[in-house]
Each structure stands twice: as structure tokens, then as C-alpha cells.
């Protein structure tokens, strides 16, 4: 089978690989869709933490289940997606049901080779039924689940203001599930085109250009002087993360969904007097995937609008670098393998 390997930062190479065979407790998926996410882009440019080369990227996946061992309820030929966070099942996090942050976690396409292949072997426990959803929708389930998990971590309550910083695909998913939870969403970004997307496609009621000189004043006006009780960073940008502490309401919660390499800095007195809560949100659980799929089936989200670029598998090597250029307006690139 054909594979696409990121050999070093900035370099891809198509290679011939061995088609996997079924092993105990595993399933074989014929890959049909691969969504490109920030992790893939950061790996390509050499800025992704916890990453080694060479690596086959890809973890936003959908395809056809062609064979399996120990996957009760599944049938050969059905469309599936996968939960690409492979866990040990025995560590302290797994015992608590937090398989998304397993102490031995291996993420497909990050810690191990991923889905930029024609056929992929995955643990059978990672399979998720397609339930009649399209391949595009199934490939978008993973990034949406990250957003859903972040909102669950924040415990968003109906009516409270939720400031989401970063209007990329993950941030858009955060906004969608903040809305579904009843939050009043405020989108912040430095890209006016993405803010316009938030206004016109997602119907986000409030948007702020982070480059403005009066961001704090805008937030006070929107929140009637209270500031945001929930802040979620989806940028992974250190400056944005550190700046956002000043936007938090007293008693507020700040959730870091984005990931970066540096150290977060804050004013302890300002943070302390707010009795604020700072937490991270890593990956997602099956509960989050189920919430996403149910929301898709109910028509509460239309994520297909996120897909701005489509390419065939054989075109990825030549076009991938272009997706890093903000001028090209990429929100979500989708790779197709329909043969």
C-alpha cells in the first residue's frame, strides 16, 4: 500500500508500505478521509511538542471497516471513525475513566504512525460506528470532540459568557459546543476572515479582533462589566495564552485546549484574588465522541462548512506547505482516498 511519511520538518515522501493484517484485539480500516489539523501542520513545520521523525501523520480519520478481531456489534463494510488516543487501561488516569490523558498515551500520527495510509490497523476498542453520517462528518468528529471535551471541562452553564480565543478548526468546535451548552460565545482572533466566518457561518453573537487596542473595554461592554466567566484558549500561542488572564471574571475558569512549548506566566495576586481556576483539556473521551455524533445527527452542527480545501491523497505532498500560509484561507483541508 502507499503511505505518506513526514521524514523531517518541511519534507514529505511517498513510500510503499506493507498492508497490515489483523492481529488480536485490532481492526483494519480502509482509510477514505483524512482531516488535516493543527498538529499535522505543526509537525510539518517542526514546532509540535512530543514529536519525533520520521512519522506518518493523520488522526482525523474515516473509512471502511474491512476486518477485525474482538469488535462486538461491528460489521465488515460499515463506515467508521476512530478515537485515535490509544491507552493502557491500567494507569491511574485510565482507572478513573480518563483514558484521554493515559500516562502511557499514544496518539495516532503523533507518538506512532497514523492515518496517511491506505489501510490502518487500530485497536478494536477505538472503533466508532458511522451511524449513517457521511465520511466528511466522521472525519470531523475527532476535532469536534476536542472542542466538546474542553466545554465539558469548563462546565459551561447556560447564559454565561464564554470567550474562545482562536478561530481555527478546534476553536470553531469549542464555539459550537459552548453554544449548544447555552453559553454566550465571544470569538477572538487576529484573522478578520475567520472572525467573519464566525459571524456568518456559526452565528457567533460577539467577535473581537485581538489586535485592537481596546480589547478589555470591548469585553467589559459585552459582559456588562463582569468579564468572561469562561475563557478557552484554542491558539496554542504563548502570548495569547498569557494575555488572556486579564480577561477573566472573578470566580472564572480558564481552559487551555491549545498546546505550546513554553511556560505559562501569570500574576499570582491577580489570579488569586479572582479565586480563578486554570486547567488543561487534552484530547477527548468516547463520551465526547458520542455527544458530537448525536449533535451531528440532530443537525445542531454543520461542520462541512469548515472544509475549505480538498485534495486527493497523491496531491498532499505538493500542496501541504500552502496550507500553512494564512493568505490561502485554509480552515480545514480534507484529503480523499476514494479508490
Amino acid at each position: 500500500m502507499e503511505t505518506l511519511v513526514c521524514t523531517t520538518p518541511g519534507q514529505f515522501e511517498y513510500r510503499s508500505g506493507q498492508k497490515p493484517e489483523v492481529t488480536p484485539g485490532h481492526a483494519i480500516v480502509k482509510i477514505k478521509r483524512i482531516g488535516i489539523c493543527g498538529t499535522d501542520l505543526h509537525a510539518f513545520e517542526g514546532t509540535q511538542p512530543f514529536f519525533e521523525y520520521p512519522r506518518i501523520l493523520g488522526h482525523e480519520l474515516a473509512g471502511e471497516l474491512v476486518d477485525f478481531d474482538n469488535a462486538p456489534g461491528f460489521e465488515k463494510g460499515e463506515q467508521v471513525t476512530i478515537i485515535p488516543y490509544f491507552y493502557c487501561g491500567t494507569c491511574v488516569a485510565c482507572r478513573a475513566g480518563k483514558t484521554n490523558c493515559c500516562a502511557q498515551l499514544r496518539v495516532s500520527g503523533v507518538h506512532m504512525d497514523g492515518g496517511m495510509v491506505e489501510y490502518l490497523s487500530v485497536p478494536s476498542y477505538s472503533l466508532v460506528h458511522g451511524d449513517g453520517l457521511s465520511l466528511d462528518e466522521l472525519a470531523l468528529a475527532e476535532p469536534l470532540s476536542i472542542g466538546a471535551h474542553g466545554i465539558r471541562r469548563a462546565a459551561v452553564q447556560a447564559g454565561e459568557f464564554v470567550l474562545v480565543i482562536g478561530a481555527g478548526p478546534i476553536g470553531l468546535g469549542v464555539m459550537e459546543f459552548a453554544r449548544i451548552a447555552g453559553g454566550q460565545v465571544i470569538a477572538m482572533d487576529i484573522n478578520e476572515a475567520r472572525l467573519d466566518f464566525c459571524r456568518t457561518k456559526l452565528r457567533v453573537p460577539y467577535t473581537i479582533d485581538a489586535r485592537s487596542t481596546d480589547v478589555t473595554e470591548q469585553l467589559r461592554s459585552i459582559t456588562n462589566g463582569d468579564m468572561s466567566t469562561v475563557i478557552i484558549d484554542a491558539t496554542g500561542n504563548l502570548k495569547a495564552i498569557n494575555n488572556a488572564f486579564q480577561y477573566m471574571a472573578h470566580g472564572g475558569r480558564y481552559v487551555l485546549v491549545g498546546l505550546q512549548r513554553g511556560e505559562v506566566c501569570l500574576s499570582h495576586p491577580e489570579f488569586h484574588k479572582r479565586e480563578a481556576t486554570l486547567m488543561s483539556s487534552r484530547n477527548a473521551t468516547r463520551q465526547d465522541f458520542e455527544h458530537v455524533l448525536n449533535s451531528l445527527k440532530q443537525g445542531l452542527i454543520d461542520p462541512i462548512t469548515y472544509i475549505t480545501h480538498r485534495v486527493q491523497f497523491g496531491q498532499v505532498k505538493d500542496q501541504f506547505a500552502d496550507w500553512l500560509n494564512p493568505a490561502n484561507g485554509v480552515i480545514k483541508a480534507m484529503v480523499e482516498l476514494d479508490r
Side-chain angles (χ1 to χ4, degrees):
M1 67 173 181
E2 190 174 34
T3 69
L4 181 59
V5 182
C6 186
T7 55
T8 61
Q11 296 294 324
F12 274 122
E13 181 180 318
Y14 286 102
R15 294 179 179 175
S16 178
Q18 186 68 36
K19 181 180 175 181
E21 297 181 357
V22 177
T23 56
H26 285 70
I28 307 299
V29 177
K30 183 178 183 180
I31 301 299
K32 297 291 189 74
R33 293 289 187 279
I34 308 163
I36 304 301
C37 81
T39 299
D40 302 319
L41 296 171
H42 296 156
F44 181 75
E45 65 183 1
T47 60
Q48 177 64 28
F50 315 126
F51 202 84
E52 296 179 355
Y53 303 85
R55 179 67 71 226
I56 297 174
L57 307 179
H59 60 271
E60 298 181 1
L61 306 173
E64 175 188 344
L65 181 60
V66 296
D67 207 350
F68 57 83
D69 172 71
N70 192 25
F74 285 86
E75 297 181 358
K76 293 180 181 180
E78 72 171 289
Q79 291 188 169
V80 295
T81 185
I82 69 163
I83 303 173
Y85 326 121
F86 306 146
Y87 52 86
C88 72
T90 59
C91 74
V92 61
C94 288
R95 296 196 307 271
K98 294 176 67 67
T99 55
N100 58 300
C101 60
C102 167
Q104 307 299 325
L105 192 73
R106 302 180 75 205
V107 178
S108 177
V110 180
H111 309 105
M112 58 188 295
D113 285 340
M116 288 195 179
V117 296
E118 293 182 275
Y119 294 88
L120 183 66
S121 174
V122 300
S124 296
Y125 66 70
S126 70
L127 295 172
V128 180
H129 291 288
D131 284 343
L133 294 171
S134 71
L135 288 167
D136 286 342
E137 289 172 318
L138 291 175
L140 291 166
E142 191 273 341
L144 289 170
S145 294
I146 290 176
H149 186 72
I151 292 300
R152 185 156 65 92
R153 289 280 283 156
V156 171
Q157 303 298 306
E160 68 179 330
F161 287 100
V162 182
L163 172 62
V164 182
I165 305 171
I170 297 299
L172 297 179
V174 171
M175 294 176 204
E176 298 270 43
F177 284 96
R179 170 182 55 79
I180 289 170
Q184 300 188 67
V185 179
I186 308 167
M188 182 183 293
D189 203 285
I190 60 173
N191 186 320
E192 179 55 37
R194 289 198 171 186
L195 291 175
D196 184 64
F197 184 92
C198 293
R199 288 188 292 266
T200 59
K201 300 296 185 181
L202 271 60
R203 306 298 181 188
V204 172
Y206 309 103
T207 59
I208 296 176
D209 188 329
R211 299 167 299 181
S212 302
T213 59
D214 63 343
V215 169
T216 300
E217 288 74 15
Q218 290 185 60
L219 282 169
R220 285 203 181 98
S221 176
I222 292 168
T223 63
N224 302 311
D226 290 337
M227 303 300 280
S228 300
T229 50
V230 175
I231 298 175
I232 299 185
D233 177 81
T235 67
N237 177 277
L238 184 57
K239 182 178 179 180
I241 290 170
N242 288 337
N243 278 346
F245 284 98
Q246 65 186 303
Y247 307 143
M248 194 186 312
H250 282 246
R253 292 97 72 203
Y254 187 1
V255 182
L256 302 180
V257 174
L259 176 64
Q260 50 80 42
R261 289 177 176 266
E263 297 181 354
V264 173
C265 296
L266 56 90
S267 166
H268 189 179
E270 289 297 323
F271 188 77
H272 195 96
K273 76 180 184 182
R274 286 168 170 77
E275 197 179 54
T277 301
L278 175 64
M279 67 186 86
S280 61
S281 178
R282 189 180 186 196
N283 303 321
T285 66
R286 183 169 290 273
Q287 178 181 346
D288 301 309
F289 272 75
E290 291 172 351
H291 181 31
V292 166
L293 296 182
N294 287 334
S295 297
L296 287 168
K297 285 185 284 188
Q298 293 175 45
L300 299 177
I301 312 173
D302 182 19
I304 305 303
T305 58
Y306 300 3
I307 302 173
T308 53
H309 295 66
R310 290 182 183 273
V311 298
Q312 292 297 313
F313 187 55
Q315 300 172 304
V316 175
K317 178 181 177 180
D318 293 333
Q319 297 195 25
F320 197 95
D322 292 339
W323 300 336
L324 289 161
N325 185 350
N328 291 323
V330 179
I331 294 178
K332 175 63 65 177
M334 186 67 69
V335 180
E336 301 181 348
L337 296 84
D338 284 327
R339 58 183 180 277

